[in-house]
Amino acid sequence: MSGQRPPLTRRSFLAGSAAAGLALMTGCGTPAASGPPALQLRPGPMTLDVAGTGARTWGYGTVPGPEIRLRAGELLRVRVTNGLPDDTTVHWHGLAPPNAMDGVPNVTQRPIAPGSEFTYEFRTPVPGSFMYHAHVGMQLDRGLYGPLVVEPRDEPLAYDREHTLMLDDWADGVEQHSRHTGEEPGTSAISDAREVVSFGGRRYPFLLVNGRPPEDPTVVEGRPGDRLRLRVMNVAADTGFRFAVAGHPLTITHTDGMPVEPVTVDALRLGMGERYDVLVDLRQRGGTWQIGMEPEGRSGAGRALLRYTGSPASTAPPAAHRPSELDGRLARYDELLSTEPLALPSGSPDRVFDLTLEGTEISGQSYPDADPLPVVEGEWVRLRMRNTGAKWHPMHLHGHHFQVRTPSGRGPVKDTVAVPAHGGEVGIDFLATNPGRWLFHCHNHHHMADGMVRLVEYRS
Ligand code: C2O
Ligand code: CU
């Protein structure tokens, strides 16, 4: 269907778990010397066919890389063999592994040198929709990413099929290509520039869904009456997306893998690093429907297709068809109610940090010339962010799930939160239960490279 490798089966993970589990107990998280690794990732140079361009890029064999799927509580065990001409690491975005497995070069591990390998190994007790990606420099802006799904032991949702859609902005190997302009709309076209939602300003010729451009789209299939689960993930470097399915409302069940009371909307807004799980009832009688996405604050479009089984290919909408649902109802964070809120104690947090997001600085500092945020194990920590700039910033915390502060007191539990521009304020709470040194950064890779990063550092 999408030209990807078939998903890894659960069996291949189980095969490695007995020996690896033993190693975990004896080796304290160091890579096991014996036992077959469950999964190999081989980052290396490759060619991606983007609308006939033959783009030279770096990837894990395919773009996206192979799906990693396991069951809550199982051991994730991945051997990474570096075939790149550069150092690399793999970060498990949204998971909360022990610090040494977090994949941040020179913070949690020595980078994996060209030609060498490293085995990541940790348990994954929390189910959800996650991603893995390289975390050295701008490598994630190439094809070095893939989906990671942890299934619950007992799936509480009923659905007939599921699909993962990874939304990306693409320039690697096609920079000279002059397609979608990627220009920000001129202020003449916008009555109030403050209303333009924009997460970045770079030029990306292509917007891809599962590595495919609009003229060669991924196709999702189902029958009338089916209920689909879509795991929608924004893995772009510089682009926040609006996402909708023509003719089909979306029922949000999870944000960043964590469950919320179901809310039905027309469209999603996803900052970079954010994920939404939605249920889609196939309530039409047939045909092929546009799964549309467009960048916030820029021109351009990407798409996939929803095809009712048996509908002829001729029913596909043109690549440029824009679902009107893109302009419909979105859910704000304060409309999402967590069904599994964090166990925050009563009273007030042990530690509060007030951070100003200004340009690509955090409170006037650029990493690595930036003060760490010290915390102590067991504390309840609050980060209050105020964004004085013109870009939205999707702020991501490694190693923890946090709760977004909303008037309901039951805001969504997430790992990446978009802080609106022009004075937008967002507060998040987390429990300091995972010792180590953890990155907290903007998931706009350009902003991250500019130093929009802090370390959350456990101290005793
Ligand atoms: Cu997707 Cu530092 O993370
Ligand atoms: Cu940013």
Side-chain angles (χ1 to χ4, degrees), residues 57-70:
T57 188
W58 294 354
Y60 298 113
T62 54
V63 177
E67 175 184 270
I68 300 177
R69 183 174 284 261
L70 61 170

Side-chain angles (χ1 to χ4, degrees), residues 199 272 357 359-360 391-395 441-448 452:
F199 287 79
M272 300 79 88
L357 313 180
T360 59
K391 301 291 180 198
W392 289 47
H393 297 288
M395 301 302 294
H441 65 88
C442 179
H443 220 278
N444 181 314
H445 310 329
H446 304 281
H447 297 182
M448 178 168 70
M452 199 165 195

Side-chain angles (χ1 to χ4, degrees), residues 37-394:
L39 169 62
Q40 297 270 353
L41 279 181
R42 297 181 188 281
M46 58 172 284
T47 301
L48 179 66
D49 179 17
V50 183
T53 57
R56 292 296 295 161
T57 188
W58 294 354
Y60 298 113
T62 54
V63 177
E67 175 184 270
I68 300 177
R69 183 174 284 261
L70 61 170
R71 199 163 266 222
E74 285 179 352
L75 197 68
L76 177 134
R77 189 156 189 256
V78 179
R79 181 155 79 186
V80 179
T81 307
N82 186 3
L84 299 169
D86 192 7
D87 290 349
T88 196
T89 58
V90 179
H91 171 61
W92 316 96
H93 179 110
L95 297 180
N99 196 233
M101 295 290 121
D102 195 46
V104 179
N106 305 316
V107 174
T108 68
Q109 69 172 101
R110 273 208 305 275
I112 311 167
S116 64
E117 56 182 50
F118 182 86
T119 300
Y120 293 92
E121 185 176 290
F122 55 93
R123 290 212 179 270
T124 55
V126 180
S129 300
F130 306 108
M131 326 192 279
Y132 62 92
H133 62 72
H135 213 303
V136 168
M138 293 290 288
Q139 284 180 4
L140 169 52
D141 205 13
R142 315 190 94 165
L144 291 165
Y145 63 80
L148 199 174
V149 174
V150 182
E151 297 177 347
R153 291 266 154 200
D154 296 296
E155 177 57 65
L157 295 179
Y159 51 89
D160 300 294
R161 311 166 186 234
E162 64 161 277
H163 300 272
T164 298
L165 300 174
M166 297 193 92
L167 317 183
D168 194 12
D169 50 14
W170 191 272
D172 200 29
V174 296
E175 284 92 345
Q176 71 297 342
H177 214 274
S178 63
R179 262 229 325 214
H180 108 62
T181 69
E183 300 305 323
E184 302 194 38
T187 38
S188 56
I190 308 286
S191 51
D192 182 354
R194 293 168 63 103
E195 284 170 13
V196 177
V197 174
S198 175
F199 287 79
R202 302 296 204 285
R203 193 181 154 278
Y204 282 83
F206 291 97
L207 300 176
L208 309 182
V209 181
N210 290 353
R212 300 170 70 133
E215 45 271 84
D216 175 30
T218 290
V219 181
V220 159
E221 279 224 11
R223 293 178 307 256
D226 275 357
R227 172 169 282 185
L228 301 186
R229 176 185 199 159
L230 302 181
R231 301 177 191 265
V232 188
M233 309 185 176
N234 183 353
V235 73
D238 191 58
T239 308
F241 287 111
R242 192 77 66 91
F243 174 95
V245 181
H248 298 78
L250 310 173
T251 300
I252 297 171
T253 61
H254 297 73
T255 63
D256 297 352
M258 303 298 125
V260 293
E261 303 273 5
V263 179
T264 299
V265 295
D266 297 310
L268 305 174
R269 171 186 287 146
L270 299 104
M272 300 79 88
E274 289 193 287
R275 294 91 62 209
Y276 281 89
D277 287 38
V278 296
L279 295 175
V280 183
D281 285 320
L282 299 198
R283 58 180 199 169
Q284 305 287 350
R285 263 180 281 164
T288 307
W289 300 79
Q290 195 85 305
I291 301 178
M293 65 165 186
E294 59 185 23
E296 295 283 6
R298 294 210 285 270
S299 58
R303 70 151 174 181
L305 293 172
L306 166 58
R307 171 170 293 142
Y308 282 69
T309 305
S311 300
S314 61
T315 60
H321 173 74
R322 182 180 184 279
S324 60
E325 287 80 358
L326 288 168
D327 298 318
R329 185 174 118 74
L330 298 170
R332 297 186 315 261
Y333 292 140
D334 60 15
E335 295 170 272
L336 299 173
L337 296 178
S338 172
T339 59
E340 293 173 17
L342 297 189
L344 298 172
S346 56
S348 48
D350 300 301
R351 216 176 265 273
V352 179
F353 295 101
D354 281 302
L355 303 172
T356 306
L357 313 180
E358 188 166 19
T360 59
E361 293 185 337
I362 299 178
S363 298
Q365 296 181 333
S366 286
Y367 187 84
D369 299 317
D371 301 328
L373 308 176
V375 304
V376 172
E377 188 173 5
E379 284 182 334
W380 165 13
V381 182
R382 176 168 297 166
L383 302 181
R384 290 195 297 223
M385 293 167 279
R386 180 175 151 78
N387 178 0
T388 62
K391 301 291 180 198
W392 289 47
H393 297 288

